[in-house]
Amino acid sequence: MIHRWLPWKLIVKQAARAYGIVDPISVMARVRRFAQPSEVQEPIELLRAGIVFHARGLINTKAIQHNLDWVWPYWVERQFNPQDVSFMPRGFSFSHVNLTHRNWTAVGLPGLAFYPILDPRGLFTPLYDGWSLDFWLRLPDGSMILPSRQPAARQRLHFDPNLQVSTEMQGETWSLSSLCSLELNPEEKPLACMQVQYKAPEGSSLILALRPYNPEGVQFIEKVSFVPSTGAWHVNQNTPIHFSRKPDQVYFSDYGRGDVLHKLDSDEQSSSVACKVGMATAAALFSQADTTSTQEVTARIPLPPEDDGYHKRRSPRPAPRMSWSEALDNTCRLRLPDQKLSKLYQTAVHTLVLLSTRDVVPGPYTYRRFWFRDACFMLHALLNLGFTDTVDRIIQAFPLRQKRSGYFQSQAGEWDSNGQVLWLLDRFEQLANRQLGREWISSILSGTKWIQAKRLPADKGGLHAGLLPAGFSAEHLGPNDYYYWDSFWGAAGLHSAARILQRHDQGQRSQSATQAGNDFFQAIWESIDGIPEHRASGGIPASPYRRLDAGAIGSLVADYPLQITPPGDRRIMNTVDFLVHNCFQQGGFFQDMIHSGINPYLTLCIAQTFLRAGDPRCIDLIHTVADLASPTGHWPEAIHPLTLGGCMGDGQHGWAASEWVMMLRSLFVREEDGGLILGSGLDPAWLQANEPLEFGPTLTPFGQLSVYAIGTDQGRAKIRVSGTVDPEQTSIEAALPGYSSQHIQSMDQEYQLAKI
């Protein structure tokens, strides 16, 4: 290879010196000294994603800051406003990106991998990573009602009959709202639909505005044309926008002439615009036809087949098309006196179904790609809800993504995925009560061999002996290091593989995997025990060479979901206490590493640890996360501690939805020591409300189960359990907080619990 004999490092150094710039080779060498030596320094997948992300940020830099007389998305209007808490100075910013309001909501249908999204002020982006459609109201005095500049709006998610998002604004003399959804035309082709309604004084008019941006920033529109015969726009020559009635006026502008907002009074007559910069804008004006009733205009955008955005070769077959009622039929139901928590549960279930149409993806936009890590957590939640066919369909494509080495690779340099896949496959067999096909054996064996081969030698000395190598932090735990997160998953994956192999009559191979897992766990605990006390402080840092910091959240995986440690384990609880006292903001876990925001799903993981330990702070964290949800009931990956808007990742995060589902399930049903514990997380206030509490049917390794509980005026509580679990074979204990425990001996029998 040419780079082996060409002195490229010397050439780069000399070129840098010649142009008076910093030597990039020296800089990277210094940067890498902050991390442990690793075979992969920066995963190419993340570099690629980062380049794309900041490339748009550079375009935003050129397009936005000297065109602030344009109408921009909500995040720009806030983030560029020096009087707003969201304001961010820009002098030394490499690129201008959305760091304060990464919140959006997808609409869609089961069986269709199309995810039109809306931002907090109703800006509608019908195509994946495309341009947007906005709605403005012009009053008789010429003043404009622009949603992205409105100080307040009411946004809600509706379920019946389909997912719809309404955005409503109101003034003293006017009201303006939109309702967006994904529909099917008579030929069963998908249409992104925006229905706009308004009521205003005589002489007002509605404007549907075509915008060259979306919630991430600029997205180019190079040409727009209007077809008078159909009354439709055609965007970039290939995407039509059909209106329910013909516009009274149509206006166009290009970048040189400024935003179309400033052309609404012009006499220019045109039916199209072309813009070399890619910042064409257009406005369709609909005059008020009647002042006594609400006016309405609907825009419909056909979605092209390629907009599902997936690589067919490695993706599973798509889910069958069905209605939402069909998709959710017989799934796990929740009933609580707290309507907010119940609505968030319902929203999370819809999110998981929506994002598992073909591949399971952790978000409808920024994270609309496959990672094993997010997939395993989301599929596990779907399993517990009873979506066994969905999970079965998706995991069948896992071997297509497995390397010849046995590596289930999400990103090069991350070592947690093999353990997570093996854990999920084991859980699938247990919860679905069905075995994987015989063809899976070679894939599972290959996956276990990869873990064993990847481990560092146990006899080489050092606190990382026997662990997985230093790697890029899968959970943004810090620079490359020997993360316990990776090793806990790897060791647990070996034990999961052993159970699968045992069920498939592979006794010898099962014993080998069990022993390999035991050896791995021994190496992990010896490493943890060897950490100097001034670094460990009685807890488990992120790696053997780190002090306790926010990255230690990764080590809690030993408690939840893996249950390697017993409830209330001293080292686990010391770690949690450190995190609570040093890494919390606004009542939730603040991840300093990369996220630099309050992380909803990691906060819920701490809540799970509290629940196992019988610590009532669990309920406080649940309410904290509920309060951090967006008005449409979603969570971004991380939340800005001041704006409370998204500051990291996708605006509708699938992993967060899965942890919310699992958290509420655990309040009613937990698996512990080969048995089931019921109701241990129920808020005593719910029982005092004398209203029914229900959850189920949920799948467990012992069968299907539903739980019903209610408090009574006599200071007692009643609990009833139904399902297919055999109490003679499985220990079932009712453990409602504040009430005497009760061993459940038979199904469908009501038990009375006395208050303690």
Side-chain angles (χ1 to χ4, degrees), residues 331-371:
T331 192
C332 189
R333 308 287 179 176
L334 171 72
R335 186 178 180 185
L336 287 178
D338 192 318
Q339 295 303 309
K340 182 176 184 178
L341 302 192
S342 298
K343 179 71 177 290
L344 289 172
Y345 173 83
Q346 190 179 9
T347 302
V349 173
H350 279 76
T351 293
L352 291 173
V353 172
L354 188 66
L355 297 181
S356 58
T357 292
R358 188 186 292 272
D359 277 327
V360 59
V361 294
Y365 181 25
T366 307
Y367 286 167
R368 190 174 163 181
R369 67 192 77 171
F370 178 87
W371 284 291

Side-chain angles (χ1 to χ4, degrees), residues 411-449:
Q411 292 173 168
E414 297 183 356
W415 314 130
D416 55 350
S417 54
N418 272 49
Q420 290 161 345
V421 169
L422 294 171
W423 170 79
L424 176 67
L425 297 178
D426 179 32
R427 292 290 291 172
F428 173 77
E429 286 200 334
Q430 293 182 62
L431 296 176
N433 194 26
R434 65 175 81 165
Q435 284 197 346
L436 298 165
R438 299 292 296 180
E439 67 276 6
W440 273 94
I441 298 300
S442 61
S443 177
I444 291 167
L445 290 172
S446 181
T448 59
K449 290 177 182 177

Side-chain angles (χ1 to χ4, degrees), residues 495-754:
H495 278 180
S496 293
R499 289 189 288 271
I500 296 172
L501 293 169
Q502 185 64 43
R503 288 192 289 268
H504 286 258
D505 300 321
Q506 302 281 321
Q508 187 172 352
R509 287 169 168 170
S510 174
Q511 291 178 9
S512 176
T514 298
Q515 185 58 52
N518 291 341
D519 293 343
F520 200 167
F521 276 125
Q522 181 177 349
I524 295 171
W525 293 120
E526 288 178 354
S527 173
I528 293 171
D529 290 340
I531 302 174
E533 180 58 24
H534 72 273
R535 285 210 304 266
S537 301
I540 308 178
S543 89
Y545 303 110
R546 289 265 288 278
R547 302 177 299 278
L548 282 179
D549 56 25
I553 188 76
S555 300
L556 296 185
V557 70
D559 181 86
Y560 171 82
L562 295 180
Q563 294 193 353
I564 296 165
T565 55
D569 177 83
R570 175 183 55 82
R571 288 167 296 194
I572 293 292
M573 298 311 295
N574 286 342
T575 306
V576 170
D577 287 341
F578 171 86
L579 296 174
V580 169
H581 289 106
N582 296 276
C583 306
F584 266 48
Q585 293 287 337
Q586 305 285 355
F589 172 69
F590 184 90
Q591 173 57 297
D592 288 303
M593 315 297 175
I594 306 296
H595 290 185
S596 58
I598 305 166
N599 187 293
Y601 67 85
L602 293 178
T603 300
L604 291 172
C605 290
I606 294 176
Q608 291 274 12
T609 292
F610 279 149
L611 178 56
R612 286 192 79 209
D615 192 319
R617 286 180 289 179
C618 163
I619 292 295
D620 294 335
L621 293 188
I622 291 172
H623 286 292
T624 291
V625 173
D627 291 340
L628 290 171
S630 74
T632 54
H634 299 296
W635 297 273
E637 185 172 22
I639 296 170
H640 193 293
L642 299 180
T643 71
L644 299 183
C647 64
M648 168 73 184
D650 214 305
Q652 182 178 347
H653 195 50
W655 190 345
S658 69
E659 289 300 342
W660 183 257
V661 165
M662 291 305 300
M663 186 74 252
L664 294 187
R665 175 189 187 267
S666 294
L667 300 183
F668 284 86
V669 182
R670 287 197 298 115
E671 301 163 25
E672 200 74 64
D673 293 330
L676 297 173
I677 298 177
L678 309 182
S680 63
L682 298 181
D683 190 337
W686 298 339
L687 293 165
Q688 293 170 10
N690 294 349
E691 294 185 35
L693 311 174
E694 293 183 85
F695 189 83
T698 183
L699 300 183
T700 79
F702 319 105
Q704 197 178 71
L705 195 74
S706 295
V707 179
Y708 171 94
I710 189 171
T712 69
D713 293 331
Q714 293 76 33
R716 293 178 173 270
K718 295 187 291 187
I719 189 167
R720 184 175 67 251
V721 186
S722 60
T724 61
V725 180
D726 185 353
E728 294 185 1
Q729 301 294 323
T730 302
S731 172
I732 308 175
E733 180 186 1
L736 279 60
Y739 293 85
S740 59
S741 61
Q742 174 71 55
H743 184 68
I744 304 298
Q745 298 178 326
S746 62
M747 294 285 105
D748 299 310
Q749 177 180 330
E750 192 172 89
Y751 292 86
Q752 298 253 359
L753 309 179

